[in-house]
Amino acid sequence: QHNLVSNYTFSNFVEGKSNQLALAAANQVSENPGGAYNPLFLYGGVGLGKTHLMHAVGNALKINKPDARIVYLHSERFVADMVKALQLNAIADFKRYYRSVDALLIDDIQFFAKKDRSQEEFFHTFNALLEGGQQMILTCDRYPKEIDGLEERLKSRFGWGLTVAVEPPDLETRVAILMNKASQARLDLPPDAAFFIAQRIRSNVRELEGALKRVIASANFTRRPIDVDLVKESLKDLLALQDKQVSLDNIQRTVAEYYKIKVADLNSRRRNRSVARPRQVAMALAKELTNYSLPEIGDAFGGRDHTTVLHACRKIRELRETSSDIHEDYKNLLRLLTT
Ligand code: ADP
Ligand code: MG
């Protein structure tokens, strides 16, 4: 029992700038498991294709070697199985099982945070697999060093292989993904309709898929062909909801792009000036341009306290008067975000 999702394959995965590195790495791993990149560590926000890519590797490994034991599981499942094994006095079996696999794919390892006993078990499993040359692929919603409540030795070990970010897709890739999903569903999606959806749904691929499903449902229901009007109608509620959400997301992306850093950096714990200043600018813009409260803004920036946001707003207000660089940056960003 391997739990691989059969249609999460490489051929169903649309390549774009945002996932190019992760895709290339995943491809390498599928060709040379246990070789160059062990573990392969993919990180990034929700709905960006991490799980898909990890299954794609698993599926490819299965094709090359049908009797390979590929085990995919969510980290919560690993924890639950371990707890059960402990209760049943079967921890030796648990260990043997995980150490006997050809490849172990563990999803969303942020759930290991603060689970000390599980981390301990996983640490030993990890070492055993690495030594045995068995491939591991791990995913996480953030950069490993930034998982609070994860042991240092695990964090450092995760970096022994290759760590790659999966970024949110750009507009072009979003359009390509929609066209790809439509053609898989044997559906006629006019490019202008795809473009409209891709322009409005910017957060992640899962949301894009959800939007497309709505459009398809209403096309079936009304027996109308898909065009921009139908798209607008069927996504009306979703977009109204989205508009409130997009703004913070939009601010983060625009600021990240402006300062040539990653959105993940804005939400990270990193404190060096090159990241901390843009983060403060983004928080100040969020306060100025949205109706979100300070705690909500803090949440959106990697779960920070509202006092941090307040401090950022004050700091930026002050800097806009004393530093012409910040003044200029802030003005430019306001313009980018409001026109
Ligand atoms: P994550 O694990 O990063 O949260 P998933 O792998 O679950 O994201 O992806 C969410 C959905 O989007 C899945 O249905 C997946 O197939 C799809 N998806 C993500 N990226 C792509 C891509 N580049 N091409 C095609 N489908 C994608
Ligand atoms: Mg996932």
Side-chain angles (χ1 to χ4, degrees), residues 8 12-14 19 47-52 181 205-206 209:
Y8 282 177
N12 287 341
F13 192 83
V14 177
N19 60 39
L48 300 180
K50 302 182 299 296
T51 298
H52 186 136
K181 304 272 168 197
V205 183
R206 192 183 307 269
E209 283 181 344

Side-chain angles (χ1 to χ4, degrees), residues 32 39 54 72 74 76 81 90-91 93 102 133 135 147 166 189 204 208 236 244 256 310 328 338:
N32 185 13
M54 116 195 277
Y72 164 87
H74 195 267
E76 283 181 309
D81 283 3
I91 198 75
D93 293 334
D102 292 299
Q135 181 68 45
I147 313 169
V166 187
L189 180 66
N204 67 53
L208 270 184
K236 207 167 78 200
K244 202 184 163 195
L310 190 62
E328 205 51 37
T338 52

